[in-house]
Amino acid sequence: MATLLQVKGLKTQFFTQDGVVNAVNDISFDLNEGETLGIVGESGCGKSVSVLSLMRLIPQPPGRIVGGEAWFQGRDLLHMDDEEIRSVRGNKIAMIFQDPMTSLNPVLTINQQVSEALELHLGMDKKQSRTRSIELLDLVRIPDAGRRMDDYPHQFSGGMRQRVMIAMGLSCNPQLLIADEPTTALDVTIQAQITDLIRHLKQEIGMAVIWITHDLGIIAGLADRVNVMYAGYIIETADVKEIYADPRHPYTLGLLHSIPRLDAERREKLTPIEGLPPDLIGMPPGCPFAPRCTYSIERCLSENPRLETVALRHSVACWVDVTGGKR
């Protein structure tokens, strides 16, 4: 399977009055064609900033991509000029954001917003783009799509607005769809419908997907591989079945233990991860998870581990082997 996206040493910082925020710290990963990659972690761990960096959507100032490469179809996204990156956004790489109400323009009709990318990237005229827009709304299962084309976003429910965002993302048949916590603002039933829709469309269109979430439960039936992030670092990466069957980082264990289980004993309580994530301004030299970690040793406080391979396609950044002691 060919590599679609290769990220090397991505580093993004925000320069504020209080100091430099180390939002993304030298992360590297690959994404193959047709693969779904889950990026998981708490709020503020760098999930969204990492993909916004790839799309060159970091607000500057205060943000700045200070290092790294992101090779997509033979071109480095991070070193394209403005015209080149605009030709990629919404065309070859599409993105769905967390809150569709703030992503959609409230004063433009659905037809105007879905048609925009078709006219800009594919050169369609008004009639052609409207016809294709109706087809896209049908594809994402919006009932009576032809009649609803001239409605405004406030006339749609939250779930239907997210479907419109998905239709916009798919309009130019992208090779990569980035979904930034697209189900967070939706109730559980609608979450299931949206994840099922993405899974179905991925199989039908054959695109790759990066799915960002704080919920490992959603990733289970959706992703092929998982990157677990903490404090701007990738601290564990593995195939999705391996993450659930043999987690090797204490933080990953903590995330898994905090997921409600249907097969658990009635008296079994969820185990929270004690403490708070570190301040990303002036982080201490050791492992950023060490103050919250029940497995930490003296070395954890002074030296931050790098990702090391522990099994086939499974890498962990930790000084302790949670299955058997020190590494």
Side-chain angles (χ1 to χ4, degrees):
M1 190 179 294
T3 300
L4 178 67
L5 175 68
Q6 188 175 41
V7 178
K8 301 178 181 179
L10 177 63
K11 191 173 183 180
T12 302
Q13 297 176 337
F14 290 86
F15 297 83
T16 71
Q17 291 180 340
D18 296 324
V20 178
V21 178
N22 299 288
V24 177
N25 299 303
D26 196 23
I27 68 169
S28 301
F29 63 90
D30 294 344
L31 177 69
N32 294 325
E33 293 179 352
E35 184 179 38
T36 298
L37 172 68
I39 301 180
V40 182
E42 291 172 282
S43 297
C45 73
K47 307 185 301 295
S48 297
V49 174
S50 61
V51 295
L52 289 172
S53 299
L54 301 180
M55 297 287 280
R56 300 267 298 280
L57 293 174
I58 295 295
Q60 301 185 46
R64 189 190 308 163
I65 302 167
V66 297
E69 302 172 354
W71 293 94
F72 177 79
Q73 297 185 327
R75 297 192 294 169
D76 185 359
L77 298 171
L78 304 185
H79 294 90
M80 289 181 177
D81 61 34
D82 290 343
E83 185 175 346
E84 286 178 312
I85 194 66
R86 278 196 297 267
S87 71
V88 172
R89 288 193 209 114
N91 184 16
K92 295 183 178 181
I93 303 178
M95 190 164 181
I96 304 168
F97 295 94
Q98 181 173 342
D99 185 0
M101 197 60 201
T102 57
S103 302
L104 293 168
N105 191 323
V107 300
L108 296 180
T109 66
I110 298 302
N111 176 58
Q112 290 172 300
Q113 299 188 62
V114 179
S115 296
E116 183 179 13
L118 297 168
E119 295 170 14
L120 177 64
H121 293 298
L122 303 183
M124 292 185 178
D125 59 29
K126 297 290 185 184
K127 183 177 180 181
Q128 290 171 328
S129 63
R130 184 180 180 90
T131 300
R132 177 58 178 157
S133 296
I134 293 172
E135 293 174 355
L136 288 165
L137 293 192
D138 281 330
L139 183 66
V140 297
R141 305 172 187 170
I142 290 182
D144 201 7
R147 184 182 63 81
R148 305 221 61 183
M149 289 298 292
D150 296 313
D151 286 348
Y152 290 87
H154 72 272
Q155 295 174 273
F156 285 72
S157 67
M160 287 299 173
R161 285 195 292 267
Q162 196 59 280
R163 290 170 189 265
V164 171
M165 290 297 301
I166 295 170
M168 292 170 65
L170 299 177
S171 59
C172 296
N173 296 317
Q175 284 82 30
L176 170 59
L177 179 69
I178 299 173
D180 186 4
E181 302 203 50
T183 61
T184 300
L186 307 175
D187 63 52
V188 176
T189 303
I190 305 302
Q191 283 185 18
Q193 293 175 3
I194 295 297
T195 53
D196 180 66
L197 175 62
I198 293 290
R199 189 184 303 111
H200 169 76
L201 293 172
K202 173 183 176 277
Q203 294 172 349
E204 186 172 313
I205 298 171
M207 62 189 175
V209 176
I210 295 178
W211 188 286
I212 298 169
T213 182
H214 60 272
D215 186 353
L216 267 171
I218 291 178
I219 289 297
L222 190 66
D224 301 305
R225 286 186 59 74
V226 179
N227 288 347
V228 181
M229 290 192 69
Y230 186 80
Y233 295 93
I234 294 176
I235 50 91
E236 184 163 12
T237 179
D239 291 338
V240 66
K241 291 182 180 179
E242 184 78 3
I243 281 284
Y244 286 88
D246 187 25
R248 297 292 190 93
H249 197 284
Y251 179 63
T252 309
L253 282 170
L255 291 177
L256 289 170
H257 289 157
S258 64
I259 299 174
R261 295 176 60 98
L262 294 176
D263 60 348
E265 294 292 332
R266 179 168 296 190
R267 295 180 182 179
E268 187 175 331
K269 294 183 179 180
L270 297 179
T271 306
I273 302 175
E274 299 294 339
L276 297 172
D279 186 348
L280 299 182
I281 299 175
M283 287 192 296
C287 171
F289 188 62
R292 308 174 70 186
C293 182
T294 56
Y295 293 85
S296 65
I297 58 177
E298 187 175 344
R299 189 179 185 184
C300 300
L301 300 175
S302 59
E303 192 176 348
N304 192 10
R306 299 188 65 85
L307 275 175
E308 300 287 346
T309 301
V310 294
L312 182 64
R313 290 169 57 84
H314 192 166
S315 298
V316 178
C318 187
W319 296 125
V320 178
D321 183 351
V322 297
T323 64
K326 298 180 183 179
R327 283 204 171 86

